[in-house]
């Protein structure tokens, strides 16, 4: 055998060794826990045969605690690039079979390399996270490594989409990189995110909790809102990444991709002419409206389990992606509160950063009153959504279906927040407040002095509703561009978006804004 052949054989052997990660036993343990290995995950995620791996031979440089004897080719993370539906993506997949996927200085360098490439090429970064956090044996070098990654997450924010899938534990500093990215996907019963684990919690606060209770997928999907998606299986998380990317441009300089559709643009949806109940206090399901108007009824909801009083997610009109923000009358009557404001503001800002037009469907009775909200800072949190809509320069189409009252009317992409096309259904009620509340303020004294207060208030309320509970008052001032037939909503939105496709709007030059945080 020639020297060259020997060297090629050696390369092949080394590659095989690297592909084994932490070794067969560790792989078996990973599988026994119902988890895939880093490489298996990459194979599922990328287009077949498209993966190009980088830094397969990187090894850590630590000599503490006998670490020099614990060497694994690739050092606990698989990095590289490939394609998803033919479009370039960069990724890193932490390999839990290698020292628990813990983050070393060299692992951080590998991750930073793909992030730098993604920024230069203008392509999304996907993190497949499965890690015990900073590699304890590496001390400050591991911390520095995290900081290098965070810095890149920050600079990449708003430039290329960043998606984090959490496919195992994600402890300590490991949670902050996902928190800095655009979307976080967690797997039920398999992934955890917490700053400090149950043991530390018990020591410090004497609170006894399980990993699941502290930072499981359900907790972050429903309570904290830290994760945007909670899925049942790893396969679902991988599919979701592919689906999510199909709605997004590669970077902030690109337009959103177009997916051809056979759904007619002028499809009339007769059911929408009858969807609003006669009783203004009765709910209907906003999902029905969304499903009826978007291409093929396809809607990818974000934050589905968090702040259900507002719905956000991606859909398409005539093939082009949009971000939908809609009040949900079926949850808390669609009222705006702290969580709904935060949820929607973050989504609106994502869409604006990545040229995704916004379609807003309004049916909002106002902001939720009370000490709970005020003490929690609803003023500042509500201002986030106000700010997000006001600064957004992407095309903005608003349709008011029913209620649009007070501050909530302004916040939900009204004309003066540079809403481009503001439409209303004939059932719209655009006013400072609802009739019952208004007459209580205006006629309380008169009612009290009369022999039949209820009658006085009812009469005044009917008068008020006649004058204000309609869209024509707002239309009279041009605050509403047109009152449209509900069944024609899809067509009118598509026409508006077509018109707005070349919209150019620039905010004043500044270092950066100061959104209320
Ligand atoms: C070094 C680690 C490690 C770590 C796990 N391992 N986490 N090695 N540094 N952070 C090693 C284990 O020693 C073990 O090695 C192997 O990985 C598998 O771990 P197990 O514990 O056997 O796995 P499991 O039972 O599934 O438990 C997983 C786990 C647990 C819940 C993640 O390992 C754990 O609690 N790890 C520590 C989590 C943590 O507190 N991280 C915070 C670090 S501080 P062997 O050789 O036995 O196979 C931090 C601050 C950064 O991140 C701040 C930046 C801003």
């Amino acid at each position: 055998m020639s020297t060259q052949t020997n060297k090629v054989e050696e390369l092949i052997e080394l590659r095989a060794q690297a592909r084994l990660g932490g070794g067969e036993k560790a792989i078996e343990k990973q599988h026994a826990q119902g988890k895939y290995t880093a490489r298996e995950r990459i194979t599922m995620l990328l287009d077949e045969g498209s993966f190009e791996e980088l830094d397969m031979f990187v090894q850590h440089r630590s000599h503490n605690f006998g670490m020099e004897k614990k060497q694994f080719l690739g050092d606990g993370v698989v990095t590289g690039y490939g394609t998803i539906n033919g479009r370039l993506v960069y990724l890193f997949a932490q390999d839990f079979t290698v020292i628990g996927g813990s983050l070393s200085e060299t692992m951080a360098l590998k991750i930073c390399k793909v992030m730098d490439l993604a920024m230069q090429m203008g392509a999304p970064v996907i993190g497949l996270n499965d890690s015990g956090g900073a590699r304890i044996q590496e001390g400050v070098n591991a911390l520095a490594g995290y900081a290098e990654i965070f810095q890149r997450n920050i600079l990449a924010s708003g430039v290329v989409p960043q998606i984090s899938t959490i496919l195992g534990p994600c402890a300590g500093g490991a949670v902050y990189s996902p928190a800095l990215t655009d979307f976080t996907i967690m797997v039920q019963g398999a992934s955890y995110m917490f700053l400090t684990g149950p043991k530390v919690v018990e020591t410090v606060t004497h609170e006894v909790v399980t990993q699941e209770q502290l930072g499981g997928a359900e907790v972050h999907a429903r309570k904290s809102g830290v994760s945007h998606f909670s899925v049942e299986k790893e396969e679902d998380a991988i599919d979701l990444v592919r689906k999510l990317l199909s709605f997004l441009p590669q970077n902030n300089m690109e337009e959103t991709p177009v997916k051809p559709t056979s759904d007619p643009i002028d499809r009339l949806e007769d059911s929408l002419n009858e969807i609003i109940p006669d009783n203004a206090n009765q709910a209907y399901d906003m999902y029905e409206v969304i499903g009826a108007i978007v291409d093929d009824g396809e809607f990818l909801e974000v934050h589905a389990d968090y702040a259900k009083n507002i719905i956000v997610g991606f859909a398409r009109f005539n093939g082009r992606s949009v971000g939908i923000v809609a009040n949900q009358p079926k949850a808390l009557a669609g009222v705006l509160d702290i969580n709904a404001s935060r949820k929607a503001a973050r989504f609106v800002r994502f869409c604006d950063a990545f040229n995704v037009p916004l379609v807003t469907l309004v049916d909002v009775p106002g902001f939720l009153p009370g000490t709970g909200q005020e003490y929690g800072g609803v003023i500042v949190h509500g201002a986030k959504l106000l700010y997000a809509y006001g600064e957004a320069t992407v095309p903005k189409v608003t349709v008011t279906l029913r209620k649009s009252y007070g501050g909530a009317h302004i916040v939900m992409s009204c004309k003066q927040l540079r809403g481009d096309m503001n439409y209303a259904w004939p059932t719209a009620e655009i006013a400072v407040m609802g009739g019952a509340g208004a007459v209580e303020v205006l006629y309380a004294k008169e009612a009290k002095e009369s022999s039949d207060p209820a009658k006085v208030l009812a009469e005044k309320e009917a008068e008020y509703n006649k004058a204000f509970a309609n869209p024509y008052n707002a239309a009279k001032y041009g605050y509403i561009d047109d009152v449209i037939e509900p069944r024609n909503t899809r067509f009118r939105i598509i026409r508006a978006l077509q018109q707005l496709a070349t919209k150019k709007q620039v905010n004043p030059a500044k270092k950066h804004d100061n959104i209320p945080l």
Side-chain angles (χ1 to χ4, degrees):
M1 220 186 276
S2 73
T3 314
Q4 188 180 5
T5 319
N6 278 337
K7 289 194 170 179
V8 171
E9 293 261 301
E10 185 192 18
L11 169 67
I12 292 167
E13 251 171 55
L14 285 172
R15 283 198 187 287
Q17 194 184 322
R19 287 195 185 101
L20 271 183
E24 269 157 12
K25 248 189 160 164
I27 293 174
E28 269 169 34
K29 192 176 163 197
Q30 180 87 346
H31 285 160
Q33 289 178 339
K35 290 161 66 180
Y36 289 100
T37 64
R39 283 197 167 73
E40 286 164 346
R41 288 165 177 162
I42 292 171
T43 305
M44 286 192 285
L45 177 65
L46 296 180
D47 295 341
E48 202 180 335
S50 71
F51 183 49
E52 289 287 338
E53 186 169 345
L54 303 173
D55 290 336
M56 206 180 203
F57 304 112
V58 162
Q59 289 178 285
H60 73 74
R61 303 159 186 172
S62 172
H63 295 275
N64 299 321
F65 305 101
M67 283 300 283
E68 64 279 0
K69 290 186 220 108
K70 265 192 167 181
Q71 281 291 2
F72 300 88
L73 291 180
D75 195 22
V77 69
V78 183
T79 59
Y81 63 92
T83 59
I84 290 181
N85 294 320
R87 300 160 83 207
L88 179 66
V89 296
Y90 289 84
L91 57 79
F92 63 90
Q94 288 170 322
D95 185 350
F96 196 84
T97 68
V98 176
I99 321 176
S102 56
L103 189 115
S104 64
E105 173 205 8
T106 43
M107 182 197 279
L109 286 172
K110 283 183 69 170
I111 294 174
C112 288
K113 187 190 268 188
V114 283
M115 292 180 82
D116 291 342
L117 286 167
M119 284 288 274
Q120 283 165 23
M121 257 48 80
V125 186
I126 301 157
L128 304 169
N129 296 274
D130 190 357
S131 165
R135 189 170 297 166
I136 296 160
Q137 299 91 330
E138 293 212 7
V140 290
N141 286 336
L143 297 187
Y146 265 130
E148 292 284 356
I149 296 170
F150 300 160
Q151 180 63 58
R152 281 163 179 78
N153 285 135
I154 294 161
L155 294 180
S157 180
V159 180
V160 293
Q162 301 181 78
I163 301 175
S164 302
T165 56
I166 314 297
L167 304 170
C170 203
V175 295
Y176 274 121
S177 178
L180 291 166
T181 63
D182 298 304
F183 297 104
T184 298
I185 302 168
M186 292 184 76
V187 182
Q188 291 154 25
S191 52
Y192 309 99
M193 292 177 82
F194 32 71
L195 278 181
T196 46
K199 279 187 197 137
V200 179
V201 171
E202 192 177 346
T203 312
V204 177
T205 69
H206 307 296
E207 192 185 359
V208 180
V209 279
T210 62
Q211 291 200 76
E212 190 70 44
Q213 288 165 336
L214 188 61
E218 286 300 282
V219 164
H220 287 311
R222 288 175 197 279
K223 284 190 198 251
S224 72
V226 164
S227 84
H228 300 83
F229 302 96
S230 161
V231 296
E232 275 180 29
K233 307 190 296 289
E234 276 196 31
E235 288 90 336
D236 301 334
I238 301 286
D239 287 348
L240 189 53
V241 173
R242 294 178 63 93
K243 194 167 177 194
L244 183 54
L245 284 173
S246 75
F247 287 95
L248 310 182
Q250 289 286 90
N251 57 62
N252 64 337
M253 304 303 279
E254 274 191 10
E255 293 298 312
T256 51
V258 173
K259 183 183 170 196
T261 176
S262 54
D263 195 351
I265 61 168
D266 55 356
R267 176 169 52 78
L268 292 176
E269 198 58 57
D270 289 336
S271 64
L272 296 183
N273 272 10
E274 294 169 3
I275 197 165
I276 304 287
D278 288 341
N279 180 349
N281 295 324
Q282 209 177 316
Y284 58 95
D285 193 349
M286 189 60 88
Y287 289 115
E288 279 182 32
V289 179
I290 296 170
I293 61 177
V294 301
D295 286 0
D296 308 303
E298 194 187 352
F299 179 54
L300 177 60
E301 189 172 7
V302 178
H303 262 146
D305 298 320
Y306 182 73
K308 287 167 169 252
N309 36 334
I310 203 155
I311 300 169
V312 302
F314 298 102
R316 297 184 185 85
F317 280 104
N318 197 20
R320 179 77 75 185
S321 313
V322 300
I324 291 190
V325 180
N327 310 113
Q328 168 60 298
K330 271 190 94 173
L332 295 172
V335 75
L336 282 181
D337 59 5
I338 292 170
N339 292 350
S341 302
R342 287 177 51 230
K343 165 178 164 177
R346 175 88 176 142
F347 183 74
V348 166
R349 294 196 101 213
F350 174 84
C351 290
D352 187 47
F354 288 101
N355 311 319
V356 181
L358 286 161
V359 172
T360 305
L361 305 175
V362 183
D363 188 346
V364 63
F367 274 97
L368 184 64
T371 49
Q373 290 290 305
E374 296 291 355
Y375 294 174
V378 68
I379 296 173
V380 166
H381 297 294
K384 287 181 176 139
L385 185 53
L386 180 59
Y387 199 108
Y389 267 122
E391 73 173 345
T393 56
V394 285
K396 291 184 279 191
V397 179
T398 309
V399 184
T400 301
L401 281 58
R402 188 169 61 172
K403 296 171 198 167
S404 184
Y405 290 140
H409 159 74
I410 298 172
V411 167
M412 293 301 294
S413 200
C414 73
K415 197 77 190 159
Q416 293 73 23
L417 291 183
R418 306 191 298 186
D420 296 299
M421 287 292 120
N422 288 56
Y423 295 132
W425 285 7
T427 41
E429 304 166 19
I430 303 169
V432 173
M433 59 171 73
V439 297
E440 284 286 351
V441 175
L442 297 177
Y443 299 104
K445 200 167 153 220
E446 203 173 318
K448 212 170 154 194
E449 285 165 2
S450 89
S451 56
D452 190 349
K455 188 168 166 245
V456 171
L457 289 177
E459 276 170 12
K460 291 294 178 193
E461 189 179 339
E463 207 179 304
Y464 178 94
N465 284 343
K466 192 154 182 265
F468 284 144
N470 62 66
Y472 300 106
N473 240 338
K476 190 163 77 185
Y477 296 102
Y479 302 156
I480 290 294
D481 294 293
D482 199 4
V483 181
I484 64 172
E485 216 187 314
R487 65 182 188 144
N488 207 15
T489 303
R490 170 176 166 79
F491 185 52
R492 298 300 297 265
I493 290 175
I494 290 174
R495 290 286 290 267
L497 290 169
Q498 283 171 338
Q499 178 224 162
L500 296 166
T502 53
K503 179 184 173 187
K504 293 252 173 319
Q505 190 166 47
V506 180
N507 289 330
K510 51 181 112 173
K511 184 174 175 190
H512 60 70
D513 58 33
N514 189 17
I515 187 166
L517 292 174

